[in-house]
Amino acid sequence: MKHYLKMGAATAISCLVAIPANAIEPEVNHAENIAKFGEVWVPEDRAIDQKLAELEAQHGKKPNIIYVLTDDVGWGQLGSYGGGKVVGTPTDNLDQMAAEGMKLLSAYAEPSCTPTRLALLTGRHPPRTGVDVVLWPGMTAGLVDSEYTIAELLSDAGYKTAMWGKWHVGDVLDEHLPHNQGFDFAQYSPYNGAVWSWVDDADYYQKHEVLPGNSPNFLDVPQTYFDDYGYEKHYIWEGTKGNEAVKVKEANMEAYQDIDTRRTDEIVDYIADNAEGEEPFFVYFASDAHNAVSANNSEFRHNKHVDQTNNMAVTLVEHDHNMGRILQALEDNGIEENTLVVWISDNGPMYGHSPNMGYSHLRGGKGDVYEGGIRVPSIVYWPGMVEAGQDPIDMLHVTDLYTTAARVAGATDLIKNDRVTDGIDQTALFLNGEDAGRRFSMIHYSGSEIGAVRMNSTMKVHFKGMQGGLPVMETYNIVRDAGERDANAIYRHLHWTAPFLQMVAKHQAQIEKFPNTKLDPATGAELTD
Amino acid sequence: MKHYLKMGAATAISCLVAIPANAIEPEVNHAENIAKFGEVWVPEDRAIDQKLAELEAQHGKKPNIIYVLTDDVGWGQLGSYGGGKVVGTPTDNLDQMAAEGMKLLSAYAEPSCTPTRLALLTGRHPPRTGVDVVLWPGMTAGLVDSEYTIAELLSDAGYKTAMWGKWHVGDVLDEHLPHNQGFDFAQYSPYNGAVWSWVDDADYYQKHEVLPGNSPNFLDVPQTYFDDYGYEKHYIWEGTKGNEAVKVKEANMEAYQDIDTRRTDEIVDYIADNAEGEEPFFVYFASDAHNAVSANNSEFRHNKHVDQTNNMAVTLVEHDHNMGRILQALEDNGIEENTLVVWISDNGPMYGHSPNMGYSHLRGGKGDVYEGGIRVPSIVYWPGMVEAGQDPIDMLHVTDLYTTAARVAGATDLIKNDRVTDGIDQTALFLNGEDAGRRFSMIHYSGSEIGAVRMNSTMKVHFKGMQGGLPVMETYNIVRDAGERDANAIYRHLHWTAPFLQMVAKHQAQIEKFPNTKLDPATGAELTD
C-alpha cells in the first residue's frame, strides 16, 4: 500500500494547479485557463481528490479503467445520437449505457486510425511522436520506446494492464508492440486486419444476395494489393510483458468471424479473474468490429432493424451487444462502481468501404478534419461517480483520456515533464458534469499539418494555405452550422483571423521548444541529435 | 348522445377494412396492402375500437385532439433527435414529451408551408385542392368551400373546434378563412406574418449586437417588398363560425413580440374552459414561432445554450416552453388521458432566412423533396393510450393526421367518398407501436409535380425529367444514406425503375378518375365544368 499512499499524496499536491505540477503546459491556452479559472478549479480539484480518496478507502484500491476504442463509427449513428434503427444501426446497449452515464456531444478524435490510437496511448498529438500517418504494411514507423504510454503509466501506478484488438501503431520493431509498451497482456492484430477481407466479402455478396444499395466494389481491387497487405502473412498475436509475441492464429476468414464477440469473451473472463485482485486493472479494447467479414454469418445479421446491405452495420450491432456484456460483467462481479468505462470511436466513417461503412450526418469522413471525420460519439460510464442521463456539450479530445486516466489512478505526477502532453485532465467534467470541462480549444492535425483549429464552443477555422499573402481560411460557427456547409463565410468571420493565427503561432513555438520525435525512414528507429 | 352512438356504430363497421367502407382508396398501394394485411388489420381494428370505446365510456365523450404544427423546424434540431443544445436549440420540454410519448423517426410533411397546412387540413395532397404553391400576398388561390376540412369533419362529429396561429391557406375569399372552414373560433394571421419583420430584426442586430455568424442580410431587401407584403395592411384577426372576422390588432413589432407565448396563454385558458364540457374539443395550434422579431426581447434569449446569433433558435426554445405549458394544462385539468396531442413541423429549415433559421443534418431544406425539406420531427403524446418511450421508424405522412383524427373521433364514415383522401388511418401505429404503421409508400409532391416517390423503408427515387427517352432518376437507399449524397447511383438501382414508374402511373390514373380541383386565377373561385 505504501506505493499507493505515495501516489495519493503526490496527486493531492499536483491537483492544486489542475495539471501535474511538474508537467509542461499540455495545450497552448491551458496556462491562461488555469490563471483564469484557478479559483474555481483548485477547490473543485480538492473535492475530486476527496471523492476519489473515499472511493479508494471503500474498495481498497484505485478504480479500474476500461477504454473501448471502436472503429469508423460516425457521429449520429447511435440511436442516442439521433441515428440507431432509422439508419440501420440499432444500438440498444450503447444507448442504455448513455442513459445510465454521460453522453459526450463534443468529443473529438484525430481524423484517422493510427493517429487516434497514438493520441490515446500517449496523450500527445501524433506528429509529436514522429508518426503522423496511417500505417500500412511494410512501413517502418511506429510507437517508439521513448514514448510513455498510458499502459506504462498505469503499470507504474500499480495497475494490471491488458489489451485486446487492433493495435495499428507499428509492428516492425519489437519496441512498437503492445507488450513492450506497458501491457502485461495483449491479444492483438498488428495492423488493420480487415481490409483484405473485403475481397472475400464482396465475393460473399455475389454468392448470397444482392440487395438495393449493395455494391460489390471491392472485386475491382487487384489481388496483389491484398497480398502486399499481408493476406498470407497476417496473424493474430499474443504477447506478455517481457516475452516474445506468439502467433495465435492466421488472420483468415475463420479467425475474423465474430472476432469482436470472442475478444469480448476473454475480456469478460479477465474482469471476473481480476475483480477481487489486490491491484486495479486497465483494459484497452481496440474493437475491430468494422471488418466486414466477421458479419458474414453473424447472428446479428438477423436483427430486422439492421441494414442488411451493410456488413459494418451488422458488426456495430455485434459490438453494441458486446458492450452490454462488458457492463454486465462489471455488475456481476460487483465492481461497476469502482470501474471507469469510456467508449469512443477512433474517427468518422470510411466511405471508401461502401457498402460496408459507417455514416455521419456531418460533412466529411475518415481522414477529414471536417466534423464528420473528427467529431465522434463517446460515452462515459461510472455508476455512483458519473451521474446518469447527462449530455454535456463540453469539448473533450481523445488525448484527454490519457491525462484523465492518470488523474483517476492518482498518478498525474508520473506524466513526463520533458515533452508536451496535449491531454487535459477531464475528471472534473466526468464527476461534476456540464460546464466543468477544462478544454476550450483544440488543434485538429491533418497528417503533419494543422488542418483546423477550434477556438471555443462556436468558432472553428480550417487552414487552406496562403493566397496572395493572405491565409485562406474556411470559418464556421460550429453550433450554427455543424455540417460546415457555409464555406463562403470568410468575409463574415474575418475578425476571427488574428486569435486563430496567434494560437497556431504559440503551438508552433511550443514545438520549437519541444521538437517532435524524428524517425529513421529506413529502420523506424528514433533519430537522436 | 344519439349522435355519438351513430358514429360509434358506423366506425365499428368501417374499420373492418381498415379504411372507411365508403371511401376512395386513400393511397395508390393501399388496396393491395389491405388485401395483404387484412387478416392482421381487421382484428387489430376491432381491438382498437374496443379500446376507444372503453376510453369513451370512462370519460363520457370522444377524446380531445390537439394538433400543433410548428414552422421550419429541421430534422435533428431537437435534443431527442440528436440536436438540442449542441446545435444551439435546447428543447427540454419536447424531449420530455418524446420520452413520455412516441417519437416518430419517419414522419413526413409536404416540402413547404402552405402545402403542408392544406395537407393536414384536408388529408389530401395539395394539388388535389387546386393549390400547389406557397401563397404570397395578393394571390387569389386558397382553400375552397368544397374541401371538407378536419375542422368541418370534427364539427360534424360533435367536436368544439378552435385554432390559433398562422393560417396561410388563403385569405382573399371569405370561404378561405378558418371560421368558414369548420373552426368555431380562430385567432389567426392570414398568411406568414413574419417576413416583413426581418427588416426590423436586422436593424435590431445592428443596434444591439454583432456576434460571429450573424449576418444582417435582410437589410438588402427593398422596403417596397415588405410594403407589398402587407406590412401596413397586415393584421391579426379573430373569427367565429358564421360571423365576419374582426381585426384584433395590427401585426406590427409589438403584436409579434412573444406571440407564441400569448397564443399559448389563450390555448391554456381554452383547455381549462372546455376540460369539463360535454363535447370533446379539437385545437389546431399553427405556431408562428419562426418569426424572428418575437425573440428580440425574449426572456428565452437568456438561455445559455441558445445560439445567440439565431433568433429562430430563441423562438424555438420559447415554443418548446409553451408546449410544456400545454401538456401541463392537460394534466392540471385531468384530461391528459383523454387527449391526443400530435406535434409536427411543417417542413425543413428555410436557410434563406439565415442567420435566423432552423437546421437539418439532411440534404436540402424548405422547398426540397430531399429529406431535409420533408422529413420532420414529430411527437405523439397520449398518456395511457400511447406507450411512453417509443421511437418507431414506421412512415407517417402529414395527411395521415386527418384520417387518424377521424378514426379517433369515431367518424371515419364522414370522410367524403367523392374524392381522393390521401391520409391513412395510423391509429394502430399510435396505439400499438412500431410495425403497426399502415403506410408503406409516399408520393412527395414538388409544387404541382411529383418530385420523388418513397417505395418502402429503404427505396426512394427522385424524378428529374426525361433524357433520351429515359427517365432521369436519382435513387437512394434512404436507410443507408439518409443524407442522399450518393446521387450517381442510378446504374446501381436501375432495377427499381419499373415499380416506381408503375406506382406513379397508378397515381396519375387515379387523378384522371378524380380530377384535381381547378381555380379561376383571376378570382380564386373554384371552376366547375
Side-chain angles (χ1 to χ4, degrees), chain B residues 360-372:
Chain B
S360 178
H361 291 311
L362 303 171
R363 177 179 180 181
K366 186 174 184 174
D368 295 315
V369 292
Y370 289 110
E371 295 292 290

Side-chain angles (χ1 to χ4, degrees), chain B residues 152-292:
Chain B
E152 290 173 317
L153 183 148
L154 290 173
S155 293
D156 292 343
Y159 277 63
K160 288 190 66 174
T161 58
M163 74 85 63
W164 283 263
K166 173 178 161 183
W167 184 238
H168 207 187
V169 291
D171 54 80
V172 170
L173 304 179
D174 284 347
E175 67 192 85
H176 294 162
L177 302 174
H179 54 291
N180 298 325
Q181 286 286 357
F183 287 101
D184 300 326
F185 171 84
Q187 188 254 59
Y188 62 98
S189 321
Y191 41 81
N192 189 339
V195 170
W196 54 262
S197 72
W198 299 116
V199 171
D200 310 270
D201 190 58
D203 182 49
Y204 164 87
Y205 283 138
Q206 295 208 320
K207 281 204 296 277
H208 294 73
E209 61 195 292
V210 176
L211 297 169
N214 174 5
S215 153
N217 50 353
F218 297 105
L219 285 179
D220 308 334
V221 181
Q223 183 60 40
T224 54
Y225 167 84
F226 299 97
D227 294 342
D228 298 344
Y229 196 83
Y231 179 47
E232 295 310 326
K233 300 189 298 294
H234 187 50
Y235 288 84
I236 294 173
W237 299 75
E238 250 178 44
T240 52
K241 197 173 278 181
N243 303 312
E244 284 290 310
V246 295
K247 294 175 179 176
V248 176
K249 57 177 64 172
E250 190 183 345
N252 54 21
M253 296 288 287
E254 183 277 334
Y256 271 90
Q257 183 64 47
D258 305 325
I259 189 168
D260 197 71
T261 297
R262 284 180 287 104
R263 280 176 168 154
T264 300
D265 296 342
E266 295 188 23
I267 292 168
V268 166
D269 291 344
Y270 182 89
I271 290 170
D273 296 345
N274 293 278
E276 299 299 318
E278 190 181 294
E279 302 147 316
F281 62 78
F282 170 62
V283 165
Y284 171 51
F285 179 22
S287 170
D288 200 2
H290 73 324
N291 83 84

Side-chain angles (χ1 to χ4, degrees), chain B residues 114 131 133-137 139-143 168-171 191 229:
Chain B
T114 299
V131 184
V133 296
V134 174
L135 298 175
W136 299 92
M139 291 176 71
T140 58
L143 181 61
H168 207 187
V169 291
D171 54 80
Y191 41 81
Y229 196 83

Side-chain angles (χ1 to χ4, degrees), chain A residues 85 88 212-213 304-305 307 309-310 351 355 357 359-362 391 434-435 479-481 483 485 493 496, chain B residues 85 88 212-213 304-305 307 309-310 351 355 357 359-362 391 434-435 480-481 483 485 492-493 496:
Chain A
K85 56 191 174 181
K304 70 172 180 174
H305 285 128
D307 177 354
T309 71
N310 179 356
Y351 294 119
M357 61 184 194
Y359 196 83
S360 178
H361 290 312
L362 304 171
D391 60 348
E434 188 164 87
D435 295 336
V479 172
R480 158 69 53 81
D481 182 15
R485 291 170 178 154
H493 299 154
W496 291 8
Chain B
K85 56 191 174 180
K304 70 172 180 175
H305 285 129
D307 177 355
T309 71
N310 179 356
Y351 294 120
M357 61 184 193
Y359 196 83
S360 178
H361 291 311
L362 303 171
D391 58 349
E434 187 163 88
D435 295 334
R480 157 69 52 81
D481 181 16
R485 290 167 176 157
R492 181 191 295 175
H493 300 155
W496 291 9

